[in-house]
Amino acid sequence: MASDGAYPELPRNLYLEVTNRCNLKCKACILYKGSWEPPRDITLDELIRITDQLPALEWIALHGIGEPLLNKDLPAMIRHLKNRDVSVQFNSNGILLDESRQSDLIATGLDELRISLDAASHQGYKAMRNSDQFDQIVKHLRSFVDRIRRQPLCHLKLSLWYLGTRDNIAELPDFIRLAASIGVREVYLQRLVYFQDDDGYGVATPQKTLMDLDGKSRELVNQSQALAKQFDIHFNASGMAAPLESVRTDPADRSSWRKCFRPKTLMYITANGNVLPCCIAPFATSDYSSIVLGNVFESGLREIWLGSGYQKFRKTHQTNTPPKCCRGCGILWSL
């Protein structure tokens, strides 16, 4: 697709928050503090109207703030997108991943499912996610892995995600062992994102990050890497980072946000239609209005993408004083 002069072409990558409702209240999530927007689900018709405006769409994540499996239209959404040959993935907490939904997801042709777990034990899960569902989720995952293996034509990729904090990093090696026992071959370590212009909430505070002071976190990450190699598990960090970067104390580039490609390559659309620069933004600043660049129920995507709000954001992003939501990117958390 040709670009409009100096402006970037319409995005080929999209985050679409199919719901902002959730069945958990995790201590690192903005919902622990309170939602930015009223509860709402995107409908199938709305998804079609939105994605039809992106003729070159190649990849979509059907998640944001909320649990996608709560949206009853999710399987139909995935089927529609796969009919367009779009690569489809979403994050889930796995609580609703019963046998019926497992079959539904496999039948849709879903490309990737990422399960956010953040713990290797019932106690650890309770501490991070305020829930007693850990054992049930692990049961679902074992069943899902077995179901995928019994269908040789199914190429759905399943991965486990671990949000690392000072409170739970001690369980990371056991998390690798858990993934191996379930049969999941990809594990990702995420760094904690938190407000830099507010005191924060739950564990989303500077005091809970993995920025290492005593070397213990680094030792645990090294141990986990060795275990992953032993079990033939792909162990990496989120974004453009390796696991050990999650515990670094002195990033080499103090203006690394400039390297972020998201303002010119993707959109994040909330369940209420607000367009944000990326999925990290609502967790990185308490000034929510500063990251809303338009609304798809009020304006077309091209108008928003090429509009003054987005252009100002992109220009400021390349300065030494970027938008509030970008100031920790590549320094305090991964690009």
Side-chain angles (χ1 to χ4, degrees), residues 69-88:
L69 290 176
L70 287 170
N71 189 319
K72 61 180 178 57
D73 285 343
L74 183 64
M77 291 175 174
I78 299 171
R79 286 193 295 269
H80 171 79
L81 291 162
K82 293 309 300 176
N83 286 337
R84 282 189 54 182
D85 199 28
V86 176
S87 179
V88 184

Side-chain angles (χ1 to χ4, degrees), residues 14-18 42 50 54 63 267-276 296-297 301:
L14 179 66
Y15 285 80
L16 182 57
E17 184 181 80
V18 296
I42 290 285
I50 290 168
L54 300 173
H63 63 246
M267 275 183 172
Y268 170 27
I269 300 174
T270 74
N272 284 273
N274 284 324
V275 175
L276 312 183
V296 295
F297 299 138
L301 283 185

Side-chain angles (χ1 to χ4, degrees), residues 289-290 294:
S289 63
S290 71

Side-chain angles (χ1 to χ4, degrees), residues 293-310:
L293 303 174
N295 188 284
V296 295
F297 299 138
E298 299 172 0
S299 306
L301 283 185
R302 176 176 289 275
E303 179 184 350
I304 296 170
W305 185 247
L306 302 178
S308 59
Y310 241 117

Side-chain angles (χ1 to χ4, degrees), residues 95 98 246 253 268 333:
I95 291 175
D98 57 21
S246 298
D253 187 354
Y268 170 27
W333 44 81

Side-chain angles (χ1 to χ4, degrees), residues 24 26 93-95 116-135 137 171:
L24 285 178
C26 304
N93 57 40
I95 291 175
S116 300
L117 204 53
D118 303 345
S121 69
H122 176 91
Q123 296 82 3
Y125 192 80
K126 178 73 172 178
M128 285 290 292
R129 296 198 151 217
N130 288 314
S131 171
D132 293 314
Q133 296 290 322
F134 178 80
D135 293 336
I137 296 167
E171 285 198 358

Side-chain angles (χ1 to χ4, degrees), residues 248-278:
R248 66 186 179 185
T249 57
D250 186 23
D253 187 354
R254 287 287 176 179
S255 60
S256 56
W257 59 78
R258 296 177 189 230
K259 299 176 183 177
C260 179
F261 55 85
R262 293 175 180 87
K264 294 183 178 180
T265 61
L266 63 80
M267 275 183 172
Y268 170 27
I269 300 174
T270 74
N272 284 273
N274 284 324
V275 175
L276 312 183
C278 73

